[in-house]
């Protein structure tokens, strides 16, 4: 059992190091300097963006967290983009955007969030229906628990769980925090220990091709003397409605000092830090 404790300690102590191998820190990131970013007053309204990087990089820009455009598919230092935005849909006057660049070694760097202002003659959509749909969908997501397949010493069981991110830590990534503390309640059917409460920390590491990989460590209890530790790994697979991320997760649970107490869980669900407190 000691080896499981050592594995979890090593996992927790190396999470920041693992993150730095996949997403660049402020110290090592590519320098991105924006020269111009504005929308032409004449029609068709065109978003003009120019910036340079301190090394040759490929680049793209994400506008309003939903429109992605390739700026350069070849490594260059001077980057320029022209986008006709007359057919795009916005629900505010100030539009955020960020720049993502990739160096020759495949490392990803992202700029801070910048904004540009729309001309007065561009119609701003109220977005009431979309906002209402998002609220209804969000309420459904937070009301319905995630399905889990639990592999226990006494056989395999179905389980339901609901995780709530409580405290999140801001990062350079516009979409996800650096990491977060969460609370979680699980109910496992057809077992002696059915109810579990967890507190844990998860780190989010953006990676290419999918959204992120997220290692984490939890402490759990069933309120009847079964207290233990969990190590887990989650994969954020794709986004829904620009707010939720569909993920899959594997988790290993055990109670130190008690043989045969370990059990595993495979689950899917939707992650969102919408109600989390940010620092």
């Amino acid at each position: 059992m000691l080896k499981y404790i050592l594995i979890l300690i090593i996992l927790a102590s190396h999470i920041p190091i693992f993150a730095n191998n996949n997403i660049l820190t402020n110290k090592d990131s590519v320098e991105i300097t924006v020269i111009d970013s504005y929308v032409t007053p004449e029609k068709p309204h065109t978003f003009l963006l120019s910036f340079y990087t301190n090394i040759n990089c490929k680049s793209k820009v994400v506008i309003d967290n939903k429109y992605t455009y390739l700026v350069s598919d070849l490594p260059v230092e001077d980057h320029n983009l022209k986008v006709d935005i007359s057919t795009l849909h916005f629900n505010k006057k100030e539009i955020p955007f960020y720049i993502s660049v990739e160096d020759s070694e495949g490392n990803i760097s992202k700029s801070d969030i910048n904004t540009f202002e729309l001309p007065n003659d561009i119609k701003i959509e109220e977005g009431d229906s979309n906002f209402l749909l998002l609220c209804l969908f969000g309420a459904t997501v937070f009301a319905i628990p995630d399905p889990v397949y639990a592999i226990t010493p006494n056989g395999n069981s179905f389980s339901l769980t609901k995780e709530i991110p409580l405290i999140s830590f801001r990062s350079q990534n516009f979409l996800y925090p650096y990491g977060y503390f969460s609370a979680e309640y699980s109910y496992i059917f057809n077992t002696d220990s059915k109810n579990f409460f967890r507190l844990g920390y998860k780190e989010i590491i953006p990676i290419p091709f999918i959204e992120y990989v997220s290692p984490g460590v939890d402490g759990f209890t069933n309120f009847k003397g079964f207290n233990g530790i969990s190590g887990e790994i989650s994969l954020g697979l794709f986004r829904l409605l620009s707010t939720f991320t569909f993920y899959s997760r594997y988790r290993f649970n055990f109670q130190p000092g008690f043989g045969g107490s370990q059990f595993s869980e495979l689950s899917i669900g939707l992650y969102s830090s919408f109600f989390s407190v940010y620092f």
Side-chain angles (χ1 to χ4, degrees), residues 156-172:
N156 302 334
S157 302
F158 180 70
S159 174
L160 294 175
T161 189
K162 174 50 61 180
E163 178 188 71
I164 303 296
L166 301 176
I167 300 174
S168 299
F169 302 97
R170 299 184 188 276
S171 69
Q172 282 188 306

Side-chain angles (χ1 to χ4, degrees), residues 98-171:
Y98 70 90
I99 299 163
S100 177
V101 298
E102 180 181 348
D103 65 18
S104 59
E105 297 180 353
N107 295 314
I108 304 296
S109 253
K110 295 183 179 180
S111 71
D112 294 332
I113 305 302
N114 296 273
T115 61
F116 62 84
E117 186 173 346
L118 297 178
N120 292 328
D121 59 338
I122 290 185
K123 183 179 179 181
I124 305 299
E125 298 181 352
E126 294 296 331
D128 291 340
S129 59
N130 290 336
F131 181 74
L132 178 59
L133 176 63
L134 181 61
C135 289
L136 292 175
F137 184 69
T140 302
V141 167
F142 284 100
I144 298 178
D146 301 328
V148 182
Y149 184 68
I151 305 171
T152 73
N154 298 323
N156 302 334
S157 302
F158 180 70
S159 174
L160 294 175
T161 189
K162 174 50 61 180
E163 178 188 71
I164 303 296
L166 301 176
I167 300 174
S168 299
F169 302 97
R170 299 184 188 276
S171 69

